[in-house]
Amino acid sequence: GAPRGPTEGGGGSRYGPMISDMAIKATQTVCVVKPDGRKEIDIKRYAKVEKISGGELSECEVLDGVMFNKDITHPRMRRVIKKPRVVLLDCPLEYKKGESQTNVEITKEADWEKLLQQEEDEMKKVCDDIIKVKPDVVITEKGVSDLAQHFLLKANISVIRRIRKTDNNRIARVTGAQICNRTEELSEHMVGSKCGLFQIKKIGDEYFTYMTQCEDPKACSVILRGASRDVLNEMERNLQDAFCVARNVLLEPRMLPGGGATEMELAARMKEKAKAIAGTRQYAYRAVADALEVIPRSLAHNCGADVVRVMTDLRARHAAAGGVCWGIDGSKGTVADVKALGIMDTFAVKQQTLRTAVEAAAMLLRIDDIISGISKKKRGDGPSQPAHEMDETFGDARDG
């Protein structure tokens, strides 16, 4: 239940839990553990968000497979196949025309027949290569000619053509098939059989191909349904945030109490440490502690609480032992046990925030002096003098 926070803002408040559950499911699906124990989560490539306007918001789902906006090439092909054998191709199933322009002069009609026959034979050979591995579905990124359709239809194979390369990669991850570049090289291990159901549904006035009920899919489609384009875009943005949070949690599962509790605890410990240090060094610790207190103070400020009282209360609770989880409840503006309320932050984000803040402060402190490039005349606070007498102008004004 970690990614609840960012997703419940905006228009998704009623569907906050739904969006975060979808994000977790999608992220877990695309998570691949490498041999060296590293986790690789590529959401951009393998969790495709498909927005279909119309329908209810509650119809959003994460498929255990993929879906894409394509129909079969011939109406007589099968539209629903259980446990299909899938072949993915990267080559056109039509007769190749030469790269350079060629003119063929034919005198006899028989030769013309021969030429056409040759094209047909070529095509038949390609289709036979495909039929040999007995697939149920053939998906190619390029075109399919009528002739090839005819041969494949006779073998009872459904064909989908001109699919995007990215979609093809996702189908490969879901079905376990390998994308084949040349039909001659097709072999049994390239056929994907992990998909449980291939079906084509009509949503609105478009056809969508679903490949679902896959065993252990490593890619997925997230389907968003909503009344209008704007609602869908808003949901997609929320979902994107949720994906990132879910990914952070999977890569680094450690959590910290939110609601300003972590910062307040750090500030309290820094102040204690400062007392133990003699000399001027202790002021640095104090300054960092004061800076960290800005976060709970801003939270208290934002929810309209009595800032001074709440901060004093928090400080007192963190000074006592065992007060680590006291933070601010943003809805009520009171001090509360954030762990009990389930307000948690990811360790990765907190670590990065502190690191960036310290680096930014260090960078600002490195600046010794600021030289302004605007002349006094332009600033309007000094007497206007001829340009060459001023030492603050640059470039042309000085030369001329």
Side-chain angles (χ1 to χ4, degrees), residues 256-273 275 289 292-293 295-297 299 309-329 334-339 343 350:
L256 296 170
T262 310
E263 284 80 7
M264 207 63 206
E265 181 63 27
L266 282 173
R269 297 290 158 262
M270 295 282 275
K271 281 183 177 161
E272 274 175 29
K273 175 102 168 127
K275 285 176 192 156
L292 283 167
E293 281 185 11
I295 290 184
R297 189 179 295 123
L299 279 171
R309 260 198 204 133
V310 170
M311 288 302 289
T312 319
D313 190 1
L314 258 185
R315 228 175 261 136
R317 293 193 186 198
H318 277 274
V324 182
C325 293
W326 289 103
I328 293 168
D329 179 352
T334 53
V335 174
D337 184 347
V338 287
K339 199 168 181 183
I343 303 172
K350 281 270 183 275

Side-chain angles (χ1 to χ4, degrees), residues 155-228:
N156 202 8
I157 296 172
S158 296
V159 183
I160 288 173
R161 65 177 165 192
R162 296 210 173 87
I163 189 171
R164 284 199 212 99
K165 188 163 192 65
T166 49
D167 281 340
N168 218 4
N169 288 339
R170 273 190 288 280
I171 299 168
R173 296 258 298 214
V174 165
T175 55
Q178 284 183 359
I179 297 174
C180 181
N181 301 68
R182 296 183 54 190
T183 49
E184 297 96 76
E185 294 166 4
L186 265 175
S187 59
E188 183 56 43
H189 73 280
M190 288 183 170
V191 180
S193 54
K194 284 189 183 170
C195 174
L197 180 65
F198 165 89
Q199 70 183 125
I200 292 172
K201 290 186 192 168
K202 189 175 187 200
I203 300 177
D205 49 0
E206 295 196 55
Y207 287 99
F208 289 90
T209 304
Y210 283 77
M211 301 183 78
T212 51
Q213 297 173 18
C214 304
E215 52 187 83
D216 192 25
K218 286 283 166 258
C220 61
S221 289
V222 182
I223 298 177
L224 294 183
R225 305 296 307 271
S228 67

Side-chain angles (χ1 to χ4, degrees), residues 21 76 99-101 119 139 152 158 166 180 196 201-202 235 257 264 280 367 382:
D21 291 342
R76 290 221 328 267
E99 290 288 316
S100 50
Q101 216 173 5
E119 282 192 18
I139 298 176
L152 295 171
S158 296
T166 49
C180 181
K201 290 186 192 168
K202 189 175 187 200
M235 279 181 62
M264 207 63 206
T280 51
I367 300 170

